[in-house]
Amino acid sequence: MSERMSWVPEGVDTGKPSAARLYDYLLGGGHNFAADRMLAEKFLQAQPNARTIARLNRAFLRRAVLFMMDNGIRQFLDLGSGIPTVGNVHEIAQKADPEAHVVYVDFEEVAVAHSELILEQDPRATIIQEDMTKPDAVLKAAGESGLLDFTQPVGLLTVGVFHFVPPQADPQSIVAAYRDAVPAGSYLAFSQFTQDLQPEEMAGVVEVMKKSQNPMFPRTKTEIEGLFHGFELVEPGIVPSPLWHPEGTNTDDPDKAGIYAAVGRKA
Amino acid sequence: MELPELAARWMNALTATAYIPLSHAEIEQVLLDSLVELPESPESVANRLVSLHATGPDSLRATIEVLSPTFELPLLARLSSAYAQAMRMDAFDQQEQIKVAIVRAKQRVERTLKVSQARFREVFESAALGIVITDLGGRCVEANDTLAEIVGLESGADLNDRDLTDFYHPDDLAALGAQYRKVREGHLPRFRDQRKLIRADGEPVWVYLAVSLLRDADGEPTHHVTMVEDISELHLLQRSLDHQLLHDSLTGLSNRQHFVTQVERRAANDPITLYHLGLDAFSVVNNGLGHETGDKLLKIVAARLGKLAGEKKAVLARIGGDEFAMMTVSDNVTTTIEEIQEVLGEPTFVDDHGIALSASIGVVDRPPVFATTAELMRCANAALRQAKARGKRQWALHDPHDDARRRGRYALAASMPGAWEHGELEIVYAPVHDLETREVLGAVARLHWDDLSHNDTMALADSTGLSLPIGRWLLREACAQAARWVQEFGDRAPTLHIALGALQSRDEDLVADVKRALDETGLPPERLRISLDISSVLAGDDNAVVLHDSGIVTALDGFHGGHDELAVLTEVQVRSVITRAPAPSPDSPLYQAMRDLIATVHSFGVRFGVDEVHTLEDAEYWRSAGADAVIGLLPALSADEVTELLTAASQPPEAS
Ligand SMILES: C[S@@+](CC[C@H](N)C(=O)[O-])C[C@H]1O[C@@H](n2cnc3c(N)ncnc32)[C@H](O)[C@@H]1O
């Protein structure tokens, strides 16, 4: 392509599909491009239930935030927050208490720029562009934001993001670093894809995502238990996402939820 | 159905199709408000649905499914189109946002990433919207192919160095120029407008425009970005959102809604003919060979009819499970019918099963221009029912006289909701007699309204969408009454029989409803017999199985002795079948056939009951043919009358 497009911003590659926009598409959002939608279609071929899985994961996020609010948490660190779509953490939290503070973290440019636009008017919420697998940098920036008070319990959210963290990145020590930075009484909400449910479909998804910018790493229940070291799991423990504190009677098939969800409290 | 109950259903249906970030109670409240508002303003309800984010691929379908029994079609059509409109605006807004986010991302990102020009161009080129970057003088710097297509040019490059204003309607120039200026001078962040563009061939095309500004790193304006969406109808049909709204996902044919709009467009000016096709015995395929085979078969049928429709320049749609509709212009009906049967009759092999197909066809030929499309569709449907009643591979032309009679019925149907509300619908109890012992086996609870029979009342209720609520009410009331009898008269209380209408028989809430009725009234389950309309079982519904598994005795009503029905009896465990037929007199040639049929039913361990047997003579015929029980020998009684009878019978003579 010889001719330069004079108005195209440099440094942003929207031609590569991103997990953030893929997820937005699965949730029915419009913040995505042809490349994202193409990847999404492949994803859907491997896991036809993907839209429901996304919806259930997003719904778990909401219930987890409200659960933490009920237990006195008023500040959240949302790691891998994604494109602001429906039911963002600050909206959920601030609806329950307008004083609630939220720091979002994501490493994807467009998600971050978009979050900035959304949060422009909100002094109690901000977004940090950082890799959440680097807790030191994240915690430093979060501290500098002035929005989080690390002497008070914090709600840590790692929802739908750890399946992007490869085993080599030592997920256990990543969680541990965040855990050590917050006081007792803090909570961790966690969800990620697992091969325990629908192993064949999961294998297909891993294959589809392998060559993308965001390869995926499902984990077994036992592996996830290991990540909660230093936390006490809140009932009912690690369960398919729709079974975690369902609202009313759950009608979604837990065996097709794709994702395990859990919340732990730092002792 | 009461609005709160409807709102709850709606909530359940919607939350399965999209993530709505509110508690169930909150969603239900919003939907309840919407239900109240719906008759007045479907448009604001549509907007609310979209702002709630009830925008999953299936959200609209789920909504229409839940609301259609309660609200009129025209209202729902308004809701659908306003919804589509709101979705478009929403999608447009989101594309705007993400575009701004990209520009922001670039300005903020310090890291130098390698720009992939090729990839970016791919995005630019594959956008569903036309996009053009103009310099501040209005000259096109860069435009994508989508825009070129909208204005009737070959490629985006053809627009380079041209004035975008060339494509504006002369009348719009001044107004648009002023708007662009306001954006450039920062008085407006962006503007949106609906305008007509003039294509290169001189044809007008309706578009949405969204115009915003690009600034350089110092914040100085450099270019305008104009996004253009083609909203002319033809184009809309091709868009996927609309495609989903207007097409059947299995066969890709138009759906009913789409078909209706096409008929609407043509009916006013052209001599049209409507064909309403119902595949014969399709349920046999579905039940016998499974739904997957059924689906494959439907696709094959769709393809064959599609080819025929193509040749005849006809409009074709799939408008129901096994029903298709076709519209032709200036047509010869008998030829077309033959052609349809011919393409369907070609031997069809699906998964190694050879299947012979035929259709029953209802025809409305050259209707008067003042007939509404809804009326036409109804007439075609009525004609199809007539054709079906005559057997397979039949067709029937819509007969206007017959329709007048039906309309009388519709008037009656219209007054039914009021009658029900005012307690004018009564439940009466008809005795079931054992033909062998002549004992009363139980009582069938039936509706009674004016001088209409139960079946007529139920059929009317079906046509108003009331049959479900009325059926539920009947179930509960009758169980309560039967429970009172059991309490008072113990073993001598009649066993309650309830015959469900077709709709209720396949209602997915049926099993829960039955259990709730038993729980709440305390009627012991063994005192209840539920008879389901046999069509539900033939259609593959599993209510009969689940009821049986829950320990409730079931019967199948509407048995005709068809092969498919007998097949079902080998699979689904029921206590009896119930039929309505002329009594087989022993000298009639059908007598032996009936005996054989009843013997076959017995061989499956199933009893044979007959409804509408009014004379002892007929009862005797049935007994000799082998039937077990009859309904109708004695007139149905009100609950009070039954109580009186039971009381009288239980009073020992000496005690009085
Ligand atoms: C599937 S989305 C989840 C969004 C949101 N948490 C939810 O559950 O609804 C995952 C997000 O995590 C981000 N992400 C993945 N790996 C990350 C990392 N190492 N650091 C920061 N963000 C990451 C992706 O960019 C994406 O936006």
Side-chain angles (χ1 to χ4, degrees):
Chain A
M1 202 56 50
S2 57
E3 188 188 355
R4 209 183 106 58
M5 298 163 91
S6 51
W7 64 282
V8 172
E10 263 174 285
V12 180
D13 187 355
T14 50
K16 275 194 193 138
S18 90
R21 293 190 297 262
L22 165 68
Y23 183 64
D24 174 71
Y25 176 73
L26 290 177
L27 279 174
H31 303 113
N32 43 68
F33 299 113
D36 307 310
R37 296 190 284 269
M38 258 159 63
L39 183 62
E41 288 310 324
K42 286 195 197 133
F43 199 106
L44 277 163
Q45 256 165 30
Q47 172 47 284
N49 210 33
R51 285 199 170 87
T52 304
I53 292 175
R55 167 170 70 76
L56 293 175
N57 182 58
R58 194 75 183 164
F60 161 71
L61 172 65
R62 174 171 178 276
R63 296 196 304 274
V65 168
L66 290 176
F67 171 85
M68 292 185 188
M69 292 291 291
D70 282 347
N71 286 280
I73 301 293
R74 288 294 177 273
Q75 45 177 357
F76 296 89
L77 181 57
D78 184 357
L79 303 164
S81 49
I83 294 198
T85 158
V86 276
N88 299 304
V89 172
H90 72 288
E91 290 161 357
I92 296 166
Q94 291 176 355
K95 190 169 164 200
D97 180 351
E99 293 295 318
H101 287 191
V102 179
V103 172
Y104 291 108
V105 178
D106 207 297
F107 68 176
E108 205 271 336
E109 291 86 14
V110 181
V112 170
H114 199 189
S115 303
E116 282 186 339
L117 285 171
I118 300 276
L119 300 176
E120 228 157 31
Q121 309 294 340
D122 190 335
R124 298 189 179 82
T126 192
I127 170 98
I128 294 170
Q129 178 168 17
E130 198 44 84
D131 183 342
M132 57 81 70
T133 62
K134 301 189 176 127
D136 292 345
V138 171
L139 289 165
K140 179 162 172 284
E144 284 165 2
S145 77
L147 289 180
L148 299 184
D149 174 356
F150 284 101
T151 67
Q152 296 296 315
V154 177
L156 296 169
L157 308 172
T158 59
V159 177
V161 62
F162 258 92
H163 41 237
F164 298 117
V165 179
Q168 313 81 279
D170 192 0
Q172 201 153 352
S173 74
I174 295 172
V175 179
Y178 288 110
R179 181 197 62 213
D180 292 344
V182 296
S186 294
Y187 284 89
L188 168 69
F190 179 101
S191 73
Q192 86 145 77
F193 268 100
T194 176
Q195 64 274 50
D196 292 0
L197 309 169
Q198 294 190 297
E200 267 177 41
E201 283 83 349
M202 192 65 242
V205 165
V206 168
E207 192 56 39
V208 166
M209 297 299 285
K210 199 177 238 162
K211 285 152 249 140
S212 80
Q213 292 195 111
N214 308 85
M216 288 180 64
F217 308 92
R219 293 197 164 79
T220 64
K221 193 175 200 165
T222 321
E223 285 173 317
I224 295 173
E225 261 162 21
L227 298 180
F228 273 91
H229 189 73
F231 290 93
E232 283 161 8
L233 280 173
V234 168
E235 281 303 308
I238 301 167
V239 289
S241 55
L243 297 186
W244 196 89
H245 294 215
E247 189 185 350
T249 40
N250 167 55
T251 50
D252 290 291
D253 183 354
D255 294 337
K256 293 188 181 161
I259 283 186
Y260 272 138
V263 172
R265 182 176 185 279
K266 180 174 173 179
Chain B
M1 190 180 309
E2 299 287 335
L3 290 189
E5 191 189 342
L6 190 58
R9 274 183 173 230
W10 196 6
M11 190 272 293
N12 281 328
L14 270 188
T15 48
T17 65
Y19 170 60
I20 301 175
L22 294 173
S23 74
H24 286 183
E26 288 167 320
I27 301 172
E28 221 171 294
Q29 186 57 49
V30 176
L31 294 179
L32 183 58
D33 295 345
S34 301
L35 284 174
V36 174
E37 200 178 0
L38 184 60
E40 283 302 316
S41 173
E43 289 75 17
S44 40
V45 172
N47 285 331
R48 186 161 332 146
L49 286 177
V50 172
S51 61
L52 261 189
H53 192 71
T55 52
D58 288 330
S59 299
L60 180 61
R61 193 181 47 71
T63 293
I64 300 296
E65 259 172 35
V66 172
L67 299 187
S68 59
T70 312
F71 293 94
E72 301 269 356
L73 208 59
L75 190 70
L76 296 180
R78 269 170 73 193
L79 178 70
S80 305
S81 77
Y83 179 91
Q85 170 78 352
M87 285 275 280
R88 263 201 300 278
M89 295 310 280
D90 191 50
F92 212 46
D93 281 345
Q94 295 193 31
Q95 289 273 328
E96 266 271 309
Q97 278 176 9
I98 191 88
K99 187 203 72 192
V100 175
I102 296 169
V103 174
R104 285 277 292 241
K106 128 81 181 158
Q107 288 171 349
R108 201 180 32 71
V109 171
E110 248 94 291
R111 290 181 278 168
T112 26
L113 292 173
K114 280 214 173 120
V115 191
S116 167
Q117 280 277 340
R119 283 225 167 78
F120 198 92
R121 180 167 284 278
E122 191 181 306
V123 172
F124 184 69
E125 291 298 354
S126 63
L129 299 174
I131 306 175
V132 56
I133 315 297
T134 48
D135 65 21
L136 294 179
R139 214 173 40 92
C140 298
V141 176
E142 186 84 44
N144 66 358
D145 288 348
T146 312
L147 182 68
E149 194 184 314
I150 293 173
V151 299
L153 292 174
E154 285 279 307
S155 82
D158 295 343
L159 276 147
N160 283 355
D161 289 334
R162 288 190 63 162
D163 253 341
L164 187 59
T165 51
D166 289 353
F167 298 96
Y168 291 144
H169 195 280
D171 294 348
D172 290 342
L173 278 179
L176 282 173
Q179 297 275 63
Y180 271 94
R181 200 168 328 111
K182 281 190 192 154
V183 172
R184 182 169 68 240
E185 289 168 1
H187 302 305
L188 276 180
R190 69 184 63 83
F191 79 85
R192 291 208 310 229
D193 213 339
Q194 186 174 329
R195 294 281 172 179
K196 235 188 269 178
L197 295 187
I198 306 296
R199 291 164 46 99
D201 58 10
E203 286 293 310
V205 50
W206 277 103
V207 295
Y208 278 126
L209 299 175
V211 177
S212 53
L213 198 61
L214 289 179
R215 297 170 188 274
D216 64 16
D218 307 323
E220 285 302 312
T222 58
H223 296 90
H224 280 117
V225 185
T226 304
M227 311 237 279
V228 181
E229 187 187 21
D230 182 346
I231 54 168
S232 59
E233 210 158 358
L234 185 72
H235 182 76
L236 281 189
L237 294 182
Q238 294 160 354
R239 289 281 306 274
S240 74
L241 168 72
D242 301 81
H243 195 84
Q244 280 172 24
L245 283 173
L246 298 175
H247 289 81
D248 163 47
S249 55
L250 178 69
T251 61
L253 295 182
S254 294
N255 61 16
R256 174 183 288 272
Q257 193 191 348
H258 193 198
F259 186 74
V260 165
T261 53
Q262 286 168 292
V263 171
E264 224 149 54
R265 208 169 302 150
R266 299 300 293 272
N269 308 313
D270 296 312
I272 64 161
T273 308
L274 283 188
Y275 298 88
H276 189 162
L277 281 69
L279 297 183
D280 292 325
F282 183 69
S283 57
V284 180
V285 175
N286 249 356
N287 291 324
L289 305 177
H291 284 279
E292 272 179 31
T293 309
D295 282 354
K296 281 184 195 161
L297 194 62
L298 286 172
K299 284 191 201 167
I300 293 174
V301 168
R304 289 193 188 166
L305 291 175
K307 186 155 168 276
L308 178 66
E311 286 162 10
K312 301 183 77 69
K313 296 206 170 38
V315 177
L316 178 70
R318 176 169 175 231
I319 62 173
D322 55 359
E323 296 186 5
F324 295 82
M326 196 162 105
M327 173 180 69
T328 55
V329 176
S330 312
D331 197 17
N332 178 327
V333 173
T334 44
T335 320
T336 301
I337 298 264
E338 270 167 30
E339 285 168 345
I340 292 174
Q341 298 293 17
E342 204 169 294
V343 296
L344 292 182
E346 280 168 35
T348 307
F349 286 90
V350 181
D351 300 340
D352 296 340
H353 301 285
I355 297 167
L357 274 177
S358 65
S360 302
I361 306 175
V363 183
V364 178
D365 192 29
R366 292 158 220 246
V369 281
F370 50 82
T372 68
T373 311
E375 264 173 330
L376 295 183
M377 296 296 287
R378 193 167 50 68
C379 293
N381 186 26
L384 170 62
R385 302 302 140 201
Q386 280 175 23
K388 283 219 162 178
R390 293 181 199 159
K392 292 182 178 174
R393 216 173 191 277
Q394 300 294 314
W395 65 281
L397 199 57
H398 164 66
D399 170 4
H401 297 296
D402 188 51
D403 202 49
R405 214 171 13 186
R406 270 165 218 277
R407 249 200 291 273
R409 242 180 60 131
Y410 280 106
L412 206 53
S415 66
M416 185 172 226
W420 183 37
E421 216 165 283
H422 293 113
E424 287 169 26
L425 262 64
E426 209 191 332
I427 301 177
V428 294
Y429 297 86
V432 184
H433 283 94
D434 188 304
L435 284 171
E436 214 47 61
T437 65
R438 301 187 164 228
E439 276 173 21
V440 173
L441 289 172
V444 193
R446 307 214 127 147
L447 288 175
H448 181 76
W449 179 40
D450 256 0
D451 40 31
L452 293 182
S453 73
H454 174 80
N455 286 340
D456 284 347
T457 316
M458 267 332 260
L460 270 186
D462 258 343
S463 63
T464 54
L466 271 184
S467 63
L468 270 184
I470 290 184
R472 291 203 185 105
W473 167 78
L474 173 75
L475 175 66
R476 227 204 90 88
E477 286 295 306
C479 284
Q481 182 59 57
R484 283 196 287 276
W485 285 330
V486 170
Q487 214 164 34
E488 207 168 327
F489 304 104
D491 279 352
R492 285 180 307 102
T495 302
L496 177 66
H497 295 237
I498 296 185
L500 305 178
L503 265 185
Q504 195 177 12
S505 297
R506 52 169 197 269
D507 182 17
E508 54 180 34
D509 295 336
L510 175 66
V511 177
D513 285 341
V514 170
K515 285 191 179 152
R516 196 172 326 120
L518 289 173
D519 280 353
E520 288 177 7
T521 63
L523 181 68
E526 67 275 11
R527 307 303 300 243
L528 178 65
R529 310 253 186 279
I530 295 276
S531 74
L532 298 153
D533 193 281
I534 198 163
S535 66
S536 68
V537 185
L538 291 178
D541 189 277
D542 64 353
N543 273 338
V545 176
V546 182
L547 281 174
H548 173 84
D549 292 349
S550 323
I552 289 161
V553 177
T554 54
L556 296 180
D557 200 338
F559 181 77
H560 292 113
H563 186 75
D564 47 346
E565 298 177 342
L566 287 172
V568 155
L569 292 186
T570 64
E571 290 159 12
V572 180
Q573 293 195 37
V574 297
R575 177 179 152 96
S576 44
V577 293
I578 298 162
T579 195
R580 279 170 207 78
S585 115
D587 19 85
S588 112
L590 287 179
Y591 180 77
Q592 191 52 42
M594 187 57 86
R595 273 188 70 98
D596 292 347
L597 174 65
I598 295 176
T600 311
V601 169
H602 282 164
S603 75
F604 296 141
V606 175
R607 288 164 55 90
F608 195 92
V610 191
D611 194 0
E612 291 174 6
V613 177
H614 298 303
T615 67
L616 283 174
E617 192 187 10
D618 283 352
E620 179 48 31
Y621 286 160
W622 279 113
R623 192 194 63 76
S624 76
D628 301 291
V630 292
I631 307 169
L633 274 185
L634 293 177
L637 303 174
S638 72
D640 286 347
E641 288 168 329
V642 175
T643 311
E644 265 169 43
L645 268 183
L646 288 168
T647 317
S650 61
Q651 224 104 68
E654 59 269 31
S656 59

